């Protein structure tokens, strides 16, 4: 099925292709292509640390609230061009990067979080991560069970998380504490898996261009239905050509079925998700990184999926895996570069009513 929309400039744009084709092959990497970690790691130098310390001091002289810090409040003369290149690689390249590393032992969690926020402001505009309006979220054990229908992955401790996307252009994770063991971060190439599915089973790829129901996890607007619909794959034709937008969180899709009024998943949709899962879980289509304290990871939610391995905490010893999370909108993607459902104006919805820390 093919649907069209009209851009802000009046130009028709195809959202769902009639003929399923490979897309954005420039972002289609394999594990062997990215084996050199230096290729996707920005290593902070002593000069960079001094610059970040100065930016932190300036930001704290402007405001007492980290959420009020803007890019202008956090000047980074030498780092800003490097961060701009990193953002370009996230949106138009491999789709993930790491910054190594802030000195969390010296800075402490609070100052490190301020610097992390300041770095993030150079990459994009913050988006709320839940109905509470959290902008600087916590990824740690918050006592939620995996089978809790209101639980989100950032609240569940210990358990592995399968590959998924988040609800923004970019997602950032900064490690404050890596716990006792495990918890390695995993990144899978959603574009590469899509293109492989197109080559091998174009019929199944086509099925994932149709809307899939997603559970709101209890965070819908009061009085609204408890699920929403979005395709796993969206093709968009904009000024720079055809782009692929991937939105895929299979546990939320499956959880939607607990609602009687949610559309039932078809056999073809389930088969298509099974086939896509097999591709994104192929070791040749992913990279693993062990985030250490101070490491920062950024990913493009539309081009890569992320997950983690099982991990172990020791609460009594104070070793609890703790990451800080940012959701960001990037200016590299303008209004005509996005389908309607990925426009900033409608992305936050009622989640933007509040603006808080976790």
């Amino acid at each position: 099925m093919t649907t069209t929309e009209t851009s802000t400039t009046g130009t028709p744009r195809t959202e769902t292709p009639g003929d399923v084709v490979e897309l954005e092959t420039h972002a289609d990497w394999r594990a062997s292509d990215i084996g050199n970690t230096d290729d996707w790691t920005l290593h902070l130098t002593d000069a960079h640390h001094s610059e970040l310390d100065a930016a932190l001091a300036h930001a704290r002289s402007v405001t007492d609230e980290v959420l009020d810090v803007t890019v202008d409040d956090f000047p980074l003369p030498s780092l800003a061009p490097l961060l701009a290149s990193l953002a370009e690689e996230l949106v138009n390249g491999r789709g993930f990067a790491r910054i190594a590393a802030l000195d969390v032992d010296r800075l402490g969690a609070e100052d490190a979080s301020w610097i992390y926020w300041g770095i993030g402001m150079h990459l994009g505009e913050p988006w709320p991560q839940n109905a509470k309006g959290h902008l600087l979220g916590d990824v740690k054990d918050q006592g939620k069970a995996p089978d809790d229908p209101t639980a989100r992955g950032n609240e569940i401790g210990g358990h592995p998380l399968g590959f998924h996307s988040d609800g923004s252009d970019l997602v950032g994770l900064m490690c404050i504490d890596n716990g006792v063991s495990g918890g390695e971060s995993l990144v899978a190439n959603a574009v590469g898996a899509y293109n492989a599915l197109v080559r091998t089973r174009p019929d199944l790829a086509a099925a994932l261009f149709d809307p899939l129901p997603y559970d709101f996890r209890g965070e819908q607007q009061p009085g609204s239905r408890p699920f929403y619909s979005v395709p796993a794959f969206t093709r968009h034709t904009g000024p720079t050509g055809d782009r692929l937008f991937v939105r895929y969180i299979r546990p939320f899709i499956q959880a939607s079925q607990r609602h009687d009024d949610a559309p039932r998943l078809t056999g073809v949709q389930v088969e298509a998700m099974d086939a896509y899962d097999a591709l994104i879980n192929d070791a040749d289509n992913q990279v693993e990184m062990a985030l250490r304290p101070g490491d920062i990871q950024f990913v493009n939610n539309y081009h890569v999926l992320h997950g983690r391995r099982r991990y172990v905490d020791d609460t009594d010893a104070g070793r609890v895996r703790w990451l800080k999370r940012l959701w960001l909108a990037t200016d590299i993607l303008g209004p005509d570069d996005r389908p309607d459902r990925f426009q900033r104006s409608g992305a936050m919805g009622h989640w933007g009513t509040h603006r808080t820390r976790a």
Side-chain angles (χ1 to χ4, degrees):
M1 181 177 68
T2 300
T3 59
T4 60
E5 59 181 11
T6 301
S7 74
T8 56
T9 59
T11 304
R13 304 181 301 200
T14 301
E15 238 190 88
T16 307
D19 296 321
V20 177
V21 297
E22 294 183 50
L23 295 169
E24 300 207 70
T25 54
H26 62 274
D28 187 341
W29 48 259
R30 294 294 178 268
S32 57
D33 302 324
I34 53 172
N36 185 353
T37 60
D38 289 338
D39 289 343
W40 41 267
T41 302
L42 171 57
H43 295 283
L44 298 177
T45 66
D46 289 343
H48 292 151
H49 287 294
S50 296
E51 184 169 284
L52 290 166
D53 288 347
L56 171 64
H58 178 74
R60 284 195 174 277
S61 74
V62 172
T63 179
D64 292 330
E65 174 52 66
V66 63
L67 302 186
D68 292 337
V69 174
T70 68
V71 64
D72 292 333
D73 299 328
F74 207 84
L76 297 173
S78 68
L79 263 175
L82 299 179
L83 294 175
S85 295
L86 185 148
E88 183 67 27
E89 189 64 40
L90 290 173
V91 177
N92 293 314
R94 72 178 66 87
F96 71 95
R98 177 177 61 185
I99 300 175
L102 302 184
D103 188 350
V104 173
D105 287 341
R106 175 178 65 86
L107 292 166
E110 181 68 8
D111 278 354
S113 295
W114 273 65
I115 290 176
Y116 171 50
W117 175 273
I119 289 173
M121 296 310 96
H122 282 266
L123 297 179
E125 175 187 349
W127 272 1
Q129 301 168 21
N130 52 34
K132 300 180 181 69
H134 288 166
L135 297 181
L136 189 56
D138 286 321
V139 180
K140 65 191 305 187
D141 188 349
Q142 297 174 48
K144 290 290 189 77
D147 59 354
D148 183 337
T150 68
R152 293 181 174 272
N154 65 297
E155 303 170 322
I156 299 170
H159 294 268
L161 293 180
F163 287 114
H164 63 280
S165 53
D166 283 357
S168 56
D169 295 346
L170 309 177
V171 60
L173 294 170
M174 180 185 69
C175 181
I176 299 292
D177 193 321
N178 57 341
V180 174
S181 64
E184 293 84 2
S185 179
L186 301 168
V187 176
N189 189 345
V191 176
Y194 162 81
N195 286 331
L197 191 61
V198 168
R199 291 191 298 270
T200 58
R201 290 295 304 271
D203 57 323
L204 296 182
L208 294 180
F209 278 94
D210 290 330
L212 293 165
Y214 277 78
D215 193 335
F216 254 125
R217 314 300 278 181
E219 293 197 299
Q220 67 271 15
Q221 192 166 6
S224 299
R225 64 185 189 181
F227 64 91
Y228 62 97
S229 296
V230 62
F233 303 144
T234 300
R235 176 184 176 182
H236 175 76
T237 302
T240 58
D242 287 346
R243 287 184 176 271
L244 175 66
F245 288 77
V246 177
R247 168 74 171 175
Y248 189 64
I249 316 175
R250 186 161 185 179
F252 287 18
I253 296 169
Q254 292 172 320
S256 74
Q257 302 300 277
R258 69 192 177 102
H259 306 296
D260 292 338
D261 54 342
R264 297 299 95 180
L265 295 172
T266 69
V268 172
Q269 288 173 324
V270 172
E271 183 183 3
M273 288 190 290
D274 287 345
Y276 192 58
D277 284 346
L279 290 165
I280 61 179
N281 283 288
D282 185 335
D284 192 40
N285 196 38
Q286 60 187 247
V287 62
E288 175 182 312
M289 63 184 83
L291 297 179
R292 304 301 179 189
D295 280 346
I296 301 172
Q297 177 195 82
F298 286 104
V299 303
N300 174 348
N301 272 312
Y302 309 137
H303 280 184
V304 304
L305 305 174
H306 61 283
R308 72 165 186 234
R309 298 201 187 280
R310 186 181 302 275
Y311 71 88
V312 175
D313 284 338
D314 186 341
T315 305
D316 292 339
R319 293 300 312 279
V320 175
R321 186 178 186 270
W322 179 21
L323 309 180
K324 298 298 292 185
R325 185 172 71 176
L326 287 172
W327 283 7
L328 301 170
T330 173
D331 285 332
I332 296 175
L333 293 175
D336 283 348
D337 293 316
R338 306 163 179 269
D340 276 351
R341 65 175 60 90
F342 294 102
Q343 295 290 343
R344 297 188 201 184
S345 58
M348 293 189 298
H350 65 289
W351 285 13
T353 303
H354 306 289
R355 191 172 183 272
T356 67
R357 298 183 67 169

